[in-house]
Amino acid sequence: MRSIAGLAAIVAAASVYLYLLSTHLPPGPALNEADSRDHEGHDFKLKFPSDLDELRDLAEMLKFYKREHYSYVLLLFCSAYLYKQSFAIPGSSFLNMLAGAIFGPWEGLLLACLLTTTGSTFCFLLSSTFGKQHVVQLFPDKVALLQRKAEENRSSLFFFLLFLRFFPMTPNWFLNITCPVLNIPLPIFFSSVFIGLIPYNFICVRTGSILSEISSMDDIFSWGTLAQLLAIAVAALVPGALIKRYGESHLKVDGMDDRSLGPAQHNQEQKRR
């Protein structure tokens, strides 16, 4: 009971902090005539985006504020990202795309990689401190399967975790809360998250960067946009193919799919994806 109360207190404190940060925006930069027309009728309400339209509106607003309040926008974005990652809240793809739209492809990628790894580490530590027994109780079959596979691949533990990040047969949020139960050393966990999610972060960030630059259908079929989309496809396929080939020859990962779950766990997994 103490562990639940402690975790609830941390979630509540983080929620209050994020709420206060998001509701106390600094004064916006001075608007010229074009900006006034573009932002006329916009109400600046900050919330997590749930679709591409909300993503574009939020990116436009934050880029507007970033002109004179870069530090505030950076702090707000990092805080929101760490909040989602630390408490295993799905939706990192939208924040990765938002990073690309606001900060550009390379700064956005660096931010996404650092924040994904830091937030996942916070989630790991919270699970280790407050939730190990609850994870086992809620997902007994899935945890048992991961424990068995982790022991079978103990000699190649880093590459086993890397394989799971590249091919998320188990969602990333679930790996974050389960690794303490599997007795995964924190340095191995940290490095596997940072490296294993680079392709995923790259795809999302580049997509967000492209979306922020597209204003018409003609932009989608420009040579520059098509070249970027090709680069994204290569970045997704090549590392995954290499890790898959390594996994097939060196790792024991058979049976790790949704069919290995019981009906209740399967339904829970599908809802969280």
Side-chain angles (χ1 to χ4, degrees):
M1 192 68 183
R2 184 181 302 175
S3 63
I4 296 178
L7 181 60
I10 292 175
V11 174
S15 300
V16 170
Y17 161 75
L18 189 59
Y19 173 78
L20 293 176
L21 185 64
S22 64
T23 54
H24 290 74
L25 280 72
L31 293 174
N32 57 36
E33 185 177 349
D35 287 331
S36 298
R37 289 195 301 268
D38 291 341
H39 291 85
E40 186 177 358
H42 282 220
D43 54 342
F44 288 172
K45 292 183 179 179
L46 292 174
K47 64 177 183 176
F48 289 112
S50 58
D51 56 44
L52 291 179
D53 289 335
E54 291 182 358
L55 177 70
R56 292 180 68 128
D57 289 343
L58 182 59
E60 180 184 351
M61 187 200 79
L62 292 179
K63 283 193 293 184
F64 169 70
Y65 268 91
K66 189 166 72 82
R67 297 178 190 174
E68 293 185 6
H69 302 289
Y70 179 89
S71 298
Y72 170 81
V73 172
L74 180 62
L75 176 63
L76 178 64
F77 179 80
C78 292
S79 300
Y81 202 114
L82 292 176
Y83 182 87
K84 267 186 171 284
Q85 285 287 309
S86 299
F87 302 126
I89 303 173
S92 63
S93 59
F94 280 113
L95 291 184
N96 284 341
M97 287 191 284
L98 188 61
I102 298 173
F103 300 103
W106 300 114
E107 185 181 355
L109 177 61
L110 178 61
L111 271 176
C113 291
L114 292 175
L115 292 173
T116 298
T117 307
T118 304
S120 296
T121 302
F122 287 164
C123 186
F124 177 100
L125 295 174
L126 287 172
S127 177
S128 178
T129 304
F130 298 108
K132 291 172 69 172
Q133 67 274 24
H134 302 299
V135 172
V136 175
Q137 292 171 1
L138 288 172
F139 306 98
D141 296 335
K142 186 64 173 175
V143 171
L145 173 62
L146 284 175
Q147 283 179 321
R148 185 170 68 253
K149 292 301 178 182
E151 289 304 318
E152 291 176 355
N153 294 281
R154 186 63 61 174
S155 60
S156 303
L157 194 56
F158 172 76
F159 291 101
F160 171 68
L161 294 175
L162 208 59
F163 184 90
L164 294 183
R165 296 292 178 179
F166 271 92
F167 300 97
M169 297 170 257
T170 298
N172 285 311
W173 67 267
F174 188 77
L175 282 177
N176 295 341
I177 65 175
T178 306
C179 279
V181 182
L182 307 180
N183 296 317
I184 304 296
L186 185 56
I188 293 180
F189 173 85
F190 184 93
S191 56
S192 68
V193 173
F194 184 85
I195 297 174
L197 291 181
I198 287 177
Y200 170 77
N201 290 335
F202 176 80
I203 292 168
C204 294
V205 169
R206 293 295 296 187
T207 301
S209 178
I210 292 173
L211 286 176
S212 68
E213 298 170 357
I214 291 175
S215 57
S216 67
M217 290 298 293
D218 292 337
D219 294 334
I220 297 177
F221 296 103
S222 68
W223 286 109
T225 301
L226 291 176
Q228 292 185 63
L229 292 173
L230 178 61
I232 290 174
V234 172
L237 294 174
V238 172
L242 294 175
I243 291 295
K244 184 175 182 180
R245 184 170 183 178
Y246 178 89
E248 289 174 346
S249 58
H250 293 83
L251 301 177
K252 300 176 182 178
V253 292
D254 54 296
M256 294 194 63
D257 52 41
D258 285 340
R259 289 172 296 180
S260 63
L261 301 173
Q265 284 78 17
H266 176 81
N267 291 335
Q268 289 174 334
E269 294 293 318
Q270 293 299 320
K271 290 178 181 179
R272 295 297 298 271
R273 287 182 185 224

